[in-house]
Amino acid sequence: MSSIASLTITQIPAEAEALRAEVRAFLTEATAKIPAHIRAKSWSGFDPEFSKALGAKGWLGMTFPKEYGGGGRTAFERYVLVEEFLNFGAPVGSHWIAERQSGPLLLKYGTDEQKRTILPKIAQGELYCCIGMSEPNSGSDLASVKTRAEKNDQGWLLNGQKIWTTNAHHCHYMIALVRTSGTTEDRQKGLSQVLVDLSLPGITVRPIEDLAGDSHFCEVFFDNVQLSADALVGNEGQGWEQVNAELAFERSGPERIFSSVVLFDQWLAYIRTPAGKRPESTRLAGQILTRMAPLRAMSIAIQEKLARHESPIVEAALVKDQGTVLEQYIPAAIADDLLSRDEADVPFELMQTLTYVTHIAPCYTLRGGTRSILRGMIARGLGLR
């Protein structure tokens, strides 16, 4: 109970809120010509030029130390930026994973050479990373990792396969969870993280088309890939602890609340019009907001813990699980509302946005950990397992 009870109401500091107006002005112009059904893709939307533009403004790697090309600013300032990126549906998918979790992971566990090589390019929006955690036939059971890196005279020899690796076909590096000793029966023991240059010989990346027609998920195959000795991230055998700390960055952010927010905003704009206004729609809007507000407060409270260099693993799992429930409820509830109307009265772009979000919503419970895994972690945090 202690870990859950540790979340306290936290406000975003005024100096961080002061950024919001400038960011909104930039995004209003930058996203003005992007249709809503495209903006709904947001953090899966791949646009390197947009990422470079953010890097030029100093809006990537804001929390990285200045000596590694970052801004040396606070986690709350970054939080404000990310909230606005998602609310506008900005195409941030190119740099998203690198800036959100690969960079912070390297800051905490990487060598000085890894930091100096990788972090400045992430902050410039010119280097992208993917996550190598999931494997075939394992679901979300990370402890069953079979991909193996064996030590040799040149460093580490990598063999195996990763799957559901977002944007691997566009990325420069993968931070992979691999087995460096023991067998799968050893579960969490014998696991390490390695930094993999995806241009190395022996690597094959194969995109997977999803239900919505996009191909941002990938399979990645490693066939005798020779990594250098300094590819190891952190300490050998401590991959389990490291990857759980990394997942706190992935599970706690506003993207676990706002994946359907572009659709919600489009629908709100419609039900404010004379043609769209109905009492039951107004009640639904209130229901959604009353569920969103406490989740946002919890997400902000976790940011404070991350800013204090704590690792709120259980709290992040709670926000991710309940955030996903809300993200999937929004398209389902809006579909009920819109499909009960005369089709001719509903704007075509709104229906296109609803169609896309409805197609992609089932994957919300897969990315970042399945519902059963997260609820198991929460139960463990409550002392029930």
Side-chain angles (χ1 to χ4, degrees):
M1 186 67 185
S2 58
S3 58
I4 301 296
S6 69
L7 280 179
T8 55
I9 295 176
T10 305
Q11 285 194 326
I12 296 176
E15 58 269 26
E17 283 289 357
L19 266 174
R20 205 177 290 275
E22 181 186 0
V23 179
R24 285 183 175 175
F26 171 81
L27 292 174
T28 297
E29 182 175 348
T31 63
K33 296 181 180 178
I34 306 176
H37 74 279
I38 299 297
R39 289 191 290 109
K41 300 183 180 186
S42 195
W43 57 277
S44 63
F46 195 88
D47 187 340
E49 293 307 313
F50 185 79
S51 294
K52 288 179 185 175
L54 297 183
K57 293 187 74 65
W59 288 351
L60 298 182
M62 287 183 79
T63 60
F64 299 174
K66 291 183 178 179
E67 63 181 300
Y68 298 123
R73 301 174 78 168
T74 68
F76 284 114
E77 288 175 293
R78 181 183 178 277
Y79 193 92
V80 167
L81 280 174
V82 172
E83 262 197 333
E84 295 304 323
F85 292 161
L86 295 167
N87 284 330
F88 276 82
V92 294
S94 328
H95 65 265
W96 189 252
I97 289 170
E99 204 267 350
R100 177 184 66 185
Q101 64 193 88
S102 303
L105 177 83
L106 290 173
L107 265 175
K108 188 169 184 178
Y109 298 107
T111 65
D112 193 58
E113 177 61 23
Q114 288 168 344
K115 294 173 189 175
R116 293 191 182 283
T117 302
I118 303 292
L119 297 183
K121 292 180 181 178
I122 292 177
Q124 291 161 10
E126 296 178 348
L127 187 149
Y128 319 131
C129 297
C130 56
I131 304 164
M133 292 188 191
S134 299
E135 296 194 4
N137 305 315
S138 295
S140 286
D141 184 9
L142 294 181
S144 67
V145 161
K146 295 178 181 174
T147 295
R148 180 174 289 274
E150 295 185 318
K151 194 175 286 187
N152 62 14
D153 291 341
Q154 299 165 270
W156 302 90
L157 192 65
L158 180 63
N159 281 286
Q161 179 186 353
K162 296 293 178 179
I163 196 169
W164 312 125
T165 313
T166 303
N167 280 330
H169 54 323
H170 293 308
C171 288
H172 304 93
Y173 286 90
M174 171 192 286
I175 296 182
L177 180 68
V178 301
R179 190 162 293 285
T180 48
S181 65
T183 68
T184 53
E185 283 71 33
D186 294 321
R187 304 291 294 164
Q188 295 94 340
K189 298 178 181 177
L191 298 174
S192 304
Q193 287 184 294
V194 289
L195 181 65
V196 182
D197 180 345
L198 292 175
S199 68
L200 288 172
I203 297 177
T204 302
V205 180
R206 186 185 300 163
I208 303 169
E209 186 172 315
D210 65 19
L211 187 63
D214 294 325
S215 300
H216 55 272
F217 288 137
C218 295
E219 295 176 287
V220 184
F221 301 86
F222 306 107
D223 182 10
N224 288 320
V225 178
Q226 183 62 58
L227 305 178
S228 62
D230 60 3
L232 185 69
V233 177
N235 296 317
E236 184 182 352
Q238 292 190 358
W240 185 257
E241 292 78 8
Q242 293 177 197
V243 85
N244 274 286
E246 177 185 350
L247 283 169
F249 290 105
E250 181 177 352
R251 291 171 174 162
S252 62
E255 66 268 34
R256 301 310 181 191
I257 304 168
F258 295 153
S259 294
S260 301
V261 77
V262 171
L263 169 64
F264 183 50
D265 283 345
Q266 287 290 303
W267 175 74
L268 281 177
Y270 170 60
I271 67 171
R272 289 188 186 109
T273 66
K277 194 169 186 178
R278 295 196 312 191
E280 56 267 40
S281 302
T282 302
R283 283 194 293 273
L284 175 59
Q287 290 166 8
I288 292 173
L289 280 174
T290 54
R291 294 172 65 172
M292 188 179 288
L295 282 169
R296 179 176 183 263
M298 292 169 67
S299 177
I300 292 170
I302 290 175
Q303 294 307 304
E304 185 177 55
K305 285 181 167 289
L306 292 172
R308 294 201 302 260
H309 305 292
E310 296 178 22
S311 188
I313 294 171
V314 176
E315 297 93 324
L318 182 62
V319 170
K320 200 277 180 184
D321 176 65
Q322 290 303 300
T324 296
V325 170
L326 175 63
E327 288 178 327
Q328 292 183 329
Y329 172 73
I330 289 173
I334 290 177
D336 285 346
D337 177 78
L338 295 182
L339 296 178
S340 67
R341 301 167 183 260
D342 186 328
E343 186 178 348
D345 292 338
V346 180
F348 179 69
E349 182 61 31
L350 176 56
M351 288 304 294
Q352 271 197 303
T353 308
L354 173 63
T355 300
Y356 171 75
V357 176
T358 301
H359 278 154
I360 202 69
C363 83
Y364 296 168
T365 51
L366 298 177
R367 60 193 192 189
T370 62
R371 187 165 286 157
S372 58
I373 291 287
L374 295 169
R375 292 182 177 179
M377 295 172 65
I378 295 164
R380 192 175 296 113
L382 293 170
L384 299 174
R385 293 182 69 190

